[in-house]
Amino acid sequence: MNDTFSIQQNVATIKENIEKSCLIGGQDPKKITIVAVTKYVSIARAEEAVANGITDLGENRDEGLLEKWAAISSNASWHFIGSLQSRKVKTIIDKVDYIHSLDRISLAEEIHKRATRKIKCFVQVNVSGEDSKHGLPMNKVASFIEELSSYTKLEIVGLMTMAPYTKDEEVLRKCFRNLKNLQQSIQSKHYSYAPCTELSMGMSNDYMIAIEEGATFIRIGSALVGNEQ
Ligand SMILES: *Cc1c(COP(=O)(O)O)cnc(C)c1O
């Protein structure tokens, strides 16, 4: 146990860092959404984050999402951030506001079929091309988004990526910059169903770099709510 752990302090630190990174990257701090990733922590920790002003919670598995949602539901917006099996869509669809892991047409079809209201979706992109990473390769993203026009329950709000696991700042920057360039090229097409104005990128170890490079949704677990596992 680390007895100096404080979610209140973590939120304050992250907000200060967001301010700094926005200054460097020329962004408005108000446009950055902090998604608190609660997959490694208890309901109590997730509730504590909400009590400290966090409005968005993220989970990467359906069980975790359902458990947290049952306890906290209407006090937050809910983000599904993990790879999503089509057969799990119906169990989470009425609970989530955002899905960050859209990566195939069959999943879009299932979301469209099950949703009773608009679901904001990020297309997940495997920028680095690592085999271990989920998401579409960069060169498949534009045609994939073109194919989504008939799935009217989905709104394609932006692109999401997980950076490679490295401390090499240049590698991280390049990954985030590539995703930003792709996002801008899709945004410039002005698809009504895919405004694609947002970038979900940056986690505990790299969110400052991600914001400098244009992130608008950062997904932060351990640096915010800790890790109880
Ligand atoms: C776990 C997870 C995060 C948060 O990870 P931390 O390093 O703890 O901040 C962000 N995004 C996804 C997709 C995750 O699975």
Side-chain angles (χ1 to χ4, degrees):
M1 273 299 286
N2 175 358
D3 53 20
T4 64
F5 179 83
S6 152
I7 289 184
Q8 186 178 18
Q9 183 56 57
N10 291 346
V11 170
T13 302
I14 291 165
K15 285 191 172 164
E16 275 170 37
N17 288 339
I18 289 173
E19 297 263 344
K20 285 183 205 156
S21 303
C22 279
L23 215 55
I24 296 169
Q27 290 218 74
D28 178 354
K30 288 194 215 68
K31 300 219 168 111
I32 310 291
T33 301
I34 303 169
V35 180
V37 178
T38 53
K39 65 187 183 193
Y40 295 134
V41 301
S42 60
I43 291 169
R45 284 266 177 103
E47 284 174 327
E48 202 182 330
V50 173
N52 281 284
I54 294 295
T55 55
D56 291 75
L57 299 178
E59 283 280 334
N60 69 337
R61 298 180 60 222
D62 61 314
E63 293 95 335
L65 186 111
L66 295 175
E67 183 200 61
K68 300 286 195 318
W69 187 89
I72 306 169
S73 66
S74 61
N75 294 325
S77 292
W78 295 85
H79 298 248
F80 194 85
I81 62 169
S83 66
L84 181 55
Q85 290 175 284
S86 295
R87 66 188 174 85
K88 296 291 174 85
V89 168
K90 62 176 178 294
T91 69
I92 62 146
I93 198 70
D94 287 336
K95 317 217 161 29
V96 296
D97 302 287
Y98 290 85
I99 293 173
H100 290 241
S101 48
L102 179 61
D103 61 356
R104 58 194 192 277
I105 292 294
S106 58
L107 181 58
E109 210 170 294
E110 183 67 12
I111 294 168
H112 178 73
K113 185 169 136 195
R114 302 286 180 183
T116 56
R117 59 192 156 76
K118 273 239 162 130
I119 306 290
K120 295 184 170 77
C121 296
F122 288 89
V123 172
Q124 185 167 355
V125 186
N126 181 357
V127 178
S128 60
E130 289 172 286
D131 286 347
S132 59
K133 292 268 192 294
H134 291 280
L136 288 158
M138 294 270 290
N139 63 4
K140 295 268 162 49
V141 174
S143 59
F144 176 71
I145 290 178
E146 259 173 53
E147 284 180 65
L148 295 174
S149 62
S150 55
Y151 303 107
T152 52
K153 296 275 181 56
L154 286 70
E155 181 182 11
I156 310 305
V157 295
L159 305 180
M160 176 274 209
T161 199
M162 291 182 74
Y165 191 73
T166 175
K167 285 195 161 61
D168 186 334
E169 207 181 296
E170 273 319 301
V171 172
L172 294 169
R173 267 186 208 288
K174 204 168 152 204
C175 169
F176 296 140
R177 208 169 285 172
N178 285 340
L179 195 69
K180 165 100 187 173
N181 287 337
L182 185 58
Q183 174 260 317
Q184 287 184 316
S185 80
I186 292 161
Q187 184 184 357
S188 72
K189 297 178 183 184
H190 302 290
Y191 298 130
S192 57
Y193 64 93
C196 203
T197 50
E198 309 302 319
L199 280 167
S200 169
M201 58 190 196
M203 319 199 322
S204 289
N205 294 323
D206 57 17
Y207 70 89
M208 294 182 73
I209 299 170
I211 292 170
E212 288 172 27
E213 300 296 340
T216 56
F217 285 71
I218 52 175
R219 309 177 311 267
I220 308 191
S222 43
L224 206 173
V225 291
N227 183 338
E228 297 179 302
Q229 294 187 339

